[in-house]
Amino acid sequence: MIVGARAIRGATVLAAAVLLAACGNSNSGSSSGGGGGSSSELTGTGEITFATGKDTSGNMQKLVDKWNSDHADQKVRIVELPESADGQRQQMVQNAQVKSDAYTILNLDVVWTAEFAANKWVVELPQSEFPDLDSAFLKPAVDTAKYRDKLYAVPVYSDGGLLYYRKDLLDAAGVTEAPKTLNDMITDCAKVKATPQGANVGCYAGQFEKYEGLTVNFAEAVQSAGGSIVDESGKPTVNSAQAKAGLEALVNGFKTGAIPQKAITYKEEEGRRAFQAGELLFHRQWPYQWAKANATDGSSQVAGKFNVAPLPGATGTGSSTLGGHNFAISAFAKNKKTALDFIKYFTSEESEKSNLLATSQAPTRTALYEDQALIKEFPYLPTLKASILSAKPRPKAVKYGDVTAAIQENAYAALTGTKTPDQALSDLQKKLEELTSS
């Protein structure tokens, strides 16, 4: 059973340039600077839209409301996209392919930046507009906002995978610290299951539904076992003994029941609800779960009973997949100057602190990880910062949708028993070689 996994969160850097043919788009003819992708087009002020996943905390709307109260002639309207990352990407791509100006600012998963930049669906941003980017932001987060060393987005949320664990149940079983390895976790599960309090609690879950979260969880499993999906040059390396060990850990988790069978349907929210209902001892999740699981409004049965730790690996601390979101400006939108100013506002230290306090999401500004008052309120911040700084990015792919689909298809087949781990990794290796040779 594994904790590596969504993304989430190894020996070889999971970073690749799958440089497939880019589908360049020309100027859309927008009256206020649409089309193209050039930073010289950041003109036009007025109302804009902000395309994003569901605002589950309400704080995004709160920040937008504050902006709107100060900018009556440049109001921002949130356009909520589907809850799943795959659904969000699909709608953004469809919007870009028809050169629609319906979306002004795009809340991109960090792994989409290369695809959107290469296809000229978003505009290049002058780094001079963000003079403290290299000094005040987490470097891994900034790297995700660039394509071919040019800035196409600004990192607003980062993410690293964390192991949430029921401290009260471990204490009752005489376990004094969080597991550092996968074997430790299995041993701890057995001890907890032997207690009255933990007899009916599932051992572990992550994100295993067939969507982007599975790509993250699979990558973390492989990395935490010392393997990689691609090497630094972009060459596929997934058909290895180390990758097999990582995948087999997940497969065996389902076979033995250490991972509950229903976890094959878990995305972030399904797993979060299970953890909050007291159904899981260990849960691989992003930092946003901290605030929700600690809610005292009756929605969580584990408030004050859990803690977080680094993801465990085969022989020690595991490897998270780098997550997070970047704000970019659509190449086909009007009023790009307003969009630029809104991104500056949303990524200010004040706004990022507000978001951390409201949602427990990972900020991208380093100063917030060193604020002692924040650390007192969010004691996981040092662990989270270490997770992010050591996290591995998913492949930087111009056609990332094809890459992640191949990963999901084969990982899911192994987890559900329709392919052996050997066959799944062999098929994935061949498909990735096909994609990277284009």
Side-chain angles (χ1 to χ4, degrees), residues 23-71:
C23 305
N25 288 315
S26 60
N27 194 299
S28 69
S30 168
S31 62
S32 295
S38 169
S39 60
S40 63
E41 298 173 346
L42 295 173
T43 59
T45 59
E47 294 186 356
I48 63 172
T49 57
F50 173 31
T52 181
K54 186 174 178 60
D55 178 17
T56 57
S57 71
N59 195 62
M60 188 177 288
Q61 184 65 59
K62 179 181 176 182
L63 289 171
V64 168
D65 290 344
K66 184 177 184 298
W67 165 275
N68 287 344
S69 69
D70 295 333
H71 301 82

Side-chain angles (χ1 to χ4, degrees), residues 12 41 77 86 122 145 207 257 276 364 388 428:
T12 310
E41 298 173 346
R77 178 173 60 87
D86 293 350
V122 295
Q207 294 80 46
Q276 289 182 202
T364 54
I388 293 171
L428 179 56

Side-chain angles (χ1 to χ4, degrees), residues 67-253:
W67 165 275
N68 287 344
S69 69
D70 295 333
H71 301 82
D73 59 344
Q74 299 181 63
K75 289 186 179 294
V76 176
R77 178 173 60 87
I78 292 178
V79 178
E80 284 197 347
L81 303 180
E83 183 176 281
S84 75
D86 293 350
Q88 294 165 28
R89 176 187 167 277
Q90 181 181 31
Q91 289 199 12
M92 289 182 186
V93 169
Q94 290 173 345
N95 186 80
Q97 287 174 335
V98 298
K99 302 182 180 180
S100 169
D101 64 0
Y103 304 155
T104 311
I105 295 174
L106 306 177
N107 187 358
L108 300 177
D109 186 298
V110 292
V111 80
W112 304 339
T113 305
E115 175 185 19
F116 278 67
N119 284 292
K120 297 185 179 180
W121 293 336
V122 295
V123 297
E124 180 187 348
L125 303 178
Q127 191 156 335
S128 58
E129 296 283 351
F130 302 90
D132 64 347
L133 196 65
D134 290 329
S135 60
F137 287 73
L138 295 168
K139 185 179 185 304
V142 174
D143 289 344
T144 68
K146 294 181 178 180
Y147 175 67
R148 294 185 174 177
D149 296 324
K150 294 181 179 180
L151 188 69
Y152 285 89
V154 182
V156 63
Y157 312 121
S158 192
D159 247 343
L162 298 170
L163 180 69
Y164 287 75
Y165 66 93
R166 288 286 301 279
K167 187 176 184 303
D168 61 327
L169 296 181
L170 291 184
D171 287 344
V175 180
T176 59
E177 60 182 7
K180 292 183 171 60
T181 68
L182 300 177
N183 286 336
D184 291 343
M185 188 163 65
I186 295 299
T187 300
D188 292 347
C189 283
K191 291 179 179 178
V192 169
K193 295 285 281 185
T195 67
Q197 303 96 317
N200 297 317
V201 176
C203 181
Y204 169 78
Q207 294 80 46
F208 302 121
E209 177 61 276
K210 192 176 180 182
Y211 81 117
E212 185 63 23
L214 180 56
T215 295
V216 170
N217 279 240
F218 170 76
E220 290 178 348
V222 169
Q223 294 159 195
S224 296
S228 61
I229 296 178
V230 296
D231 64 17
E232 293 182 3
S233 68
K235 179 181 178 182
T237 55
V238 75
N239 195 13
S240 68
Q242 294 87 350
K244 180 181 177 181
L247 179 56
E248 283 185 334
L250 288 175
V251 171
N252 291 337

Side-chain angles (χ1 to χ4, degrees), residues 392-414:
K392 312 295 184 186
R394 284 159 282 172
K396 290 185 177 181
V398 171
K399 290 189 176 179
Y400 181 75
D402 294 334
V403 173
T404 191
I407 294 171
Q408 293 168 31
E409 178 182 350
N410 287 284
Y412 192 81

